[in-house]
Amino acid sequence: EIVEEFSLPLLELGVGEQGTIVKITEETSDLLHYLDKLGLVPKAAIKIQEKAPFNGPITVKVGSTDHAVSRAVAAIIQVKRTK
């Protein structure tokens, strides 16, 4: 029996919330290479640092580095909330 683990789009986490990346729902080669360079890969621990207003980017901390990603990219990264 396969049990689907509950996850939500990174986009839905609030500022200060933490999570672990579970999966990437869009698997184009260019996008996966880009996310890999940023460290936004399955099992990576992340924290939302800032959500810019007016549909601006979301700043995500991965390890000791902050990265700004678009809301479109944040919508296809599934995470499990940890705090």
Side-chain angles (χ1 to χ4, degrees), residues 23-37 40-41 72-73 76-77:
K23 64 184 171 185
I24 310 299
T25 59
E26 189 176 309
E27 297 185 351
T28 62
S29 180
D30 289 346
L31 178 62
L32 292 176
H33 286 298
Y34 171 69
L35 294 175
D36 186 47
K37 273 181 26 180
L40 295 170
V41 295
V73 169
I76 59 138
I77 299 173

Side-chain angles (χ1 to χ4, degrees), residues 33-83:
H33 286 298
Y34 171 69
L35 294 175
D36 186 47
K37 273 181 26 180
L38 300 182
L40 295 170
V41 295
K43 298 185 182 172
I46 55 94
K47 180 178 181 181
I48 305 299
Q49 298 292 80
E50 181 182 4
K51 288 178 112 173
F54 308 110
N55 240 2
I58 296 173
T59 304
V60 181
K61 180 181 275 303
V62 185
S64 61
T65 308
D66 288 353
H67 297 289
V69 296
S70 71
R71 289 175 186 254
V73 169
I76 59 138
I77 299 173
Q78 291 288 311
V79 299
K80 184 173 137 186
R81 187 180 278 131
T82 56
K83 285 189 182 179

